[in-house]
Amino acid sequence: AQSVTQLGSHVSVSEGALVLLRCNYSSSVPPYLFWYVQYPNQGLQLLLKYTSAATLVKGINGFEAEFKKSETSFHLTKPSAHMSDAAEYFCAVSGGAGNMLTFGGGTRLMVKP
Amino acid sequence: GAVVSQHPSWVICKSGTSVKIECRSLDFQATTMFWYRQFPKQSLMLMATSNEGSKATYEQGVEKDKFLINHASLTLSTLTVTSAHPEDSSFYICSAPGLAGGSSYNEQFFGPGTRLTVL
């Protein structure tokens, strides 16, 4: 069984500031981990994924995440926030390739000018 | 790349009517598709796994007689909300595993979602 906890349902940063969205997971098997972004009334867009290769994963739009097994974490970061980054972000875990995903509660990122 | 479409993108219906939502994999085949429900300002919750040629697998607490799933072909799964009520109003999203471009890894591709409003 898998579960995901996203700390902080809302995160607010200033434009140009560091973005840090936290994700901790629980999995009984080696996990596959994902970060998705969702804009209002739209589906999910994959930002990046960890599939047991490199622990530091780079994604689209300047985002990256680091898999830390000892901390069971997969936090998402971006060095400099842009107004267009304002959206809902979901961390998800699956037990294998193509398997169904278990999502965290989501974090709404707000970017202040 | 792998694309998943949903139709309709939004629907408004009267209480007691049935609504069908289609999920299509446009450029790849999917023997399995997943249906999620998302209430406002909440996360996605898996409702069921749709299996081509066999019965869907429902998550605990999801009424299979209310949410009928049919996976008639390798590119189409449908979700029918029967006798819809206002509490069924939600955002319904499907996904299908497929190969990303240049990758040997099966990842989930999501449809754009269907907004259902039951009056």
Side-chain angles (χ1 to χ4, degrees):
Chain A
Q2 293 90 33
S3 67
V4 177
T5 302
Q6 290 183 240
L7 296 176
S9 58
H10 292 79
V11 170
S12 181
V13 300
S14 297
E15 190 173 20
L18 172 71
V19 175
L20 171 61
L21 304 183
R22 300 178 185 275
C23 172
N24 288 90
Y25 71 91
S26 171
S27 179
S28 57
V29 298
Y32 286 59
L33 294 158
F34 307 82
W35 275 100
Y36 289 89
V37 61
Q38 185 181 36
Y39 296 98
N41 294 311
Q42 293 187 28
L44 299 178
Q45 181 181 9
L46 180 67
L47 281 176
L48 48 79
K49 60 180 182 280
Y50 167 77
T51 59
S52 76
T55 56
L56 181 61
V57 181
K58 294 185 182 298
I60 62 172
N61 300 339
F63 285 94
E64 63 180 38
E66 185 172 9
F67 172 69
K68 292 186 177 180
K69 183 177 180 180
S70 61
E71 299 177 8
T72 61
S73 69
F74 191 57
H75 301 331
L76 180 71
T77 61
K78 181 174 180 177
S80 176
H82 192 271
M83 295 298 290
S84 60
D85 295 327
E88 188 84 21
Y89 291 81
F90 293 98
C91 182
V93 64
S94 83
N99 287 9
M100 64 90 169
L101 298 173
T102 299
F103 287 88
T107 298
R108 180 167 298 277
L109 176 65
M110 294 167 284
V111 182
K112 299 176 292 186
Chain B
V3 178
V4 175
S5 70
Q6 281 184 243
H7 178 79
S9 56
W10 60 271
V11 56
I12 301 173
C13 69
K14 292 182 179 180
S15 185
T17 61
S18 294
V19 175
K20 179 185 287 188
I21 302 170
E22 294 184 346
C23 177
R24 293 182 184 273
S25 54
L26 296 185
D27 49 2
F28 66 104
Q29 295 182 334
T31 57
T32 301
M33 291 183 176
F34 301 99
W35 286 96
Y36 296 84
R37 179 168 55 187
Q38 184 181 31
F39 290 109
K41 301 188 186 303
Q42 295 188 27
S43 187
L44 284 76
M45 298 298 294
L46 180 68
M47 298 176 65
T49 303
S50 174
N51 304 298
E52 189 270 333
S54 64
K55 291 182 179 180
T57 305
Y58 290 82
E59 295 300 302
Q60 190 173 9
V62 177
E63 300 174 60
K64 61 181 181 181
D65 294 331
K66 181 170 186 61
F67 298 99
L68 300 179
I69 291 173
N70 183 22
H71 199 139
S73 75
L74 288 171
T75 59
L76 174 64
S77 174
T78 60
L79 168 67
T80 301
V81 183
T82 62
S83 186
H85 290 282
E87 58 265 29
D88 298 323
S89 298
S90 188
F91 195 52
Y92 292 86
I93 303 175
C94 70
S95 73
L99 291 175
S103 171
S104 59
Y105 167 72
N106 241 358
E107 67 178 69
Q108 293 292 338
F109 293 92
F110 286 84
T114 297
R115 171 78 56 196
L116 170 63
T117 301
V118 185
L119 302 177

